[in-house]
């Protein structure tokens, strides 16, 4: 599988060479995030490669929220980093078995995790962002959770992050109680 590396400034690199044109060609490539990559780096990538902004209906609104945020110091107390991971859930056996696959963006401090959906984007932009392990959850007589190393392709990464951020679209008036 081809690999693209994403730098903190949002630049894409393949084989140590910058991707200058036709970024959509790399949507199926495995993503590796450089040290220092943040959620702000994600938006820099989208601005640097405007074709990516057309991949998801929520992306233009997410970009507007991003552009309205301060230029730095956008962190939340008690969260050391953001982690983006994949979950595979198997349930319904015996009976009608079902398989669900979804992506999650959460905050982490040490081994503790926390939801970030209720936090405004301006508290998340400058937190380090890392790719986490795949969590395989099997529901049965007991719940088993197995963790595996995994990869994300560029499309999954963009789509998954934007889907998670689409929940940050509530107006500030709705956030007054925070």
């Amino acid at each position: 599988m081809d690999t693209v590396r994403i730098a903190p400034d949002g630049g894409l690199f393949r084989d140590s060479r910058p991707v200058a044109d036709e970024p959509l060609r790399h949507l199926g490539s495995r993503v590796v995030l450089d040290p220092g990559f943040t959620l702000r780096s994600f938006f820099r990538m989208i601005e640097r490669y405007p074709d990516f902004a057309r991949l998801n209906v929520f992306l233009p609104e997410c970009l507007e929220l991003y552009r309205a945020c301060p230029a730095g110091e956008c962190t939340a107390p008690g969260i050391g980093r953001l982690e983006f991971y994949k979950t595979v859930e198997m349930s319904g056996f015996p009976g009608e078995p079902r398989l669900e696959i979804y992506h999650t963006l959460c905050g982490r401090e040490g081994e503790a995790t926390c939801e970030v959906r209720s936090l405004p984007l301006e508290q998340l932009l400058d937190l380090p962002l890392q790719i986490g392990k795949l969590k395989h959850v099997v529901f049965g007589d007991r719940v088993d959770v197995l963790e595996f190393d995994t990869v994300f392709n560029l499309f999954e990464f963009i789509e998954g992050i934007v889907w998670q951020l689409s929940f940050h679209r509530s107006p500030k008036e709705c956030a007054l109680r925070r």
Side-chain angles (χ1 to χ4, degrees), residues 12-161:
L12 291 176
F13 293 84
R14 181 164 182 257
D15 299 328
S16 299
R17 290 188 302 267
V19 172
D21 59 350
E22 299 193 45
L24 297 178
R25 283 185 178 180
H26 304 283
L27 288 175
S29 298
R30 174 184 182 217
V31 168
V32 173
L33 305 178
D34 275 357
F37 190 89
T38 63
L39 197 52
R40 187 179 303 276
S41 304
F42 173 82
F43 284 106
R44 288 176 177 158
M45 175 187 70
I46 301 300
E47 288 184 322
R48 190 175 195 151
Y49 303 98
D51 287 341
F52 291 158
R54 297 191 331 246
L55 293 175
N56 185 293
V57 68
F58 297 118
L59 231 167
E61 193 169 349
C62 287
L63 277 169
E64 283 181 36
L65 286 173
Y66 160 70
R67 290 176 179 142
C69 289
E73 304 301 317
C74 294
T75 60
I79 300 177
R81 69 183 187 280
L82 296 173
E83 187 174 277
F84 183 65
Y85 63 91
K86 192 181 305 188
T87 301
V88 176
E89 287 185 353
M90 295 174 62
S91 61
F93 185 81
E96 291 294 319
R98 191 174 78 234
L99 178 73
E100 293 184 19
I101 302 171
Y102 56 91
H103 302 108
T104 302
L105 180 68
C106 72
R108 289 197 71 116
E109 183 61 45
E111 293 302 312
T113 62
C114 67
E115 281 283 330
V116 294
R117 288 182 186 189
S118 64
L119 296 174
L121 188 59
E122 61 260 16
Q123 290 187 342
L124 304 173
L125 283 175
D126 295 318
L127 292 169
L129 175 60
Q130 298 173 345
I131 302 255
K133 293 185 178 272
L134 178 139
K135 294 176 184 357
H136 183 176
V137 182
V138 182
F139 294 101
D141 293 337
R142 66 179 202 277
V143 176
D144 291 317
V145 178
L146 307 167
E147 292 189 355
F148 302 91
D149 287 332
T150 191
V151 298
F152 285 90
N153 66 37
L154 183 57
F155 178 77
E156 285 179 305
F157 182 69
I158 294 170
E159 181 70 17
I161 295 286

